[in-house]
Amino acid sequence: MAASQTFRVVVDDREAAGAVLETLRRRTDVVTRVERLPLGDYRVDEALLFERKTLPDLVASIKDGRLFSQGLRLANAPLRTALILEGTTRDLGECRMHREAIQGALIALTLFLGIPLLRSMDPQETAALMLFAARQARTFATGALPRKGLRPRGKVRVQQHILQGLPGIGPARAKGLLERFGTIEAVMAAPVADLATVPGIGERTAKLIRWAVAENAPTYRPAQGSNPDWPL
């Protein structure tokens, strides 16, 4: 098979025992390599970076606080990134977290951090999604499809763009937060008292920021009449 038709996938070694890699290895149009990735779980064609989470993985990362930190790193990655959320609501039976809390975390990742979310039912569909995305990326690269809008270039502009997704934060306040705390992670971890010291923020906006980034972990209860086999 011609090299141009072959997808090259680097798999994080912590995913090596999973069914996604097994599925990729069965394909004749995919070349895989396993190594420790500093960010994400799968790197495709050195152009796309995917973080894969099962629904229980997602809940665990919300509870221990890893999810938002991972999201910030993905948002600042030089490659195009996406989160693949794998499984159905049936997988959440023992997770003891409200659906609203999970949706709130996904809203933060997608709307505020700008990370695309892809849904799959199982590892086989996860593998297929990544390759489908890679195929479309090649189409975009040739100019065959139009590109709508531009992402801000430069790390500082990306960081400011992310911070402007927080309530009450415009360009000037986003710039002030970065100048005061240095990184987005530091802004998200800062207590209300420290946030309120930034010019133009004040206690009210500081409390709104903490409200937006803090995540409770209450008991999960499926919506009445919901089908447990449907994706979240």
Side-chain angles (χ1 to χ4, degrees):
M1 181 170 292
S4 61
Q5 297 176 312
T6 301
F7 298 102
R8 300 187 179 278
V9 183
V10 181
V11 181
D12 185 76
D13 58 7
R14 289 159 289 195
E15 291 278 308
V20 175
L21 178 56
E22 181 183 348
T23 300
L24 292 172
R25 282 176 168 166
R26 288 200 298 264
R27 296 186 58 121
T28 59
D29 59 346
V30 176
V31 174
T32 60
R33 186 174 81 248
V34 176
E35 63 181 54
R36 178 60 57 95
L37 293 177
L39 181 63
D41 296 316
Y42 301 89
R43 190 173 68 228
V44 184
D45 282 353
E46 299 299 329
L48 302 176
L49 186 66
F50 297 96
E51 175 76 21
R52 168 183 171 260
K53 286 191 182 298
T54 64
L55 286 169
D57 289 339
L58 177 73
V59 171
S61 65
I62 294 172
K63 288 180 177 178
D64 65 19
R66 287 182 293 114
L67 182 65
F68 208 76
S69 176
Q70 288 177 335
L72 289 169
R73 294 175 63 208
L74 287 171
N76 284 312
L79 304 180
R80 291 187 178 274
T81 63
L83 170 66
I84 298 181
L85 189 56
E86 183 184 295
T88 70
T89 51
R90 186 181 296 276
D91 300 318
L92 290 173
E94 302 300 323
C95 290
R96 302 183 62 80
M97 179 173 284
H98 278 302
R99 180 185 179 91
E100 290 83 358
I102 298 172
Q103 296 287 29
L106 295 179
I107 287 170
L109 291 176
T110 56
L111 293 184
F112 295 157
L113 297 184
I115 301 170
L117 174 68
L118 304 177
R119 288 290 285 112
S120 77
M121 299 287 286
D122 52 41
Q124 291 71 35
E125 188 174 19
T126 294
L129 270 176
M130 291 191 294
L131 299 181
F132 185 42
R135 191 173 294 112
Q136 290 205 6
R138 291 181 179 183
T139 304
F140 270 89
T142 63
L145 292 175
R147 297 180 65 180
K148 182 179 179 181
L150 294 174
R151 297 179 68 180
R153 296 181 179 180
K155 184 171 182 178
V156 172
R157 276 183 287 179
V158 170
Q159 291 173 323
Q160 291 179 1
H161 181 71
I162 292 170
L163 287 175
Q164 287 176 56
L166 295 172
I169 303 302
R173 289 179 174 179
K175 182 179 179 181
L177 286 168
L178 278 178
E179 289 176 348
R180 168 68 172 79
F181 294 101
T183 67
I184 294 177
E185 288 179 286
V187 172
M188 300 306 179
V192 169
D194 290 348
L195 291 169
T197 63
V198 177
I201 297 295
E203 185 176 358
R204 180 178 181 277
T205 301
K207 288 181 177 179
L208 284 174
I209 292 173
R210 290 305 312 153
W211 170 82
V213 301
E215 191 64 60
N216 294 327
T219 302
Y220 172 77
R221 293 197 300 269
Q224 185 174 4
S226 64
N227 187 331
D229 288 322
W230 289 351
L232 181 71

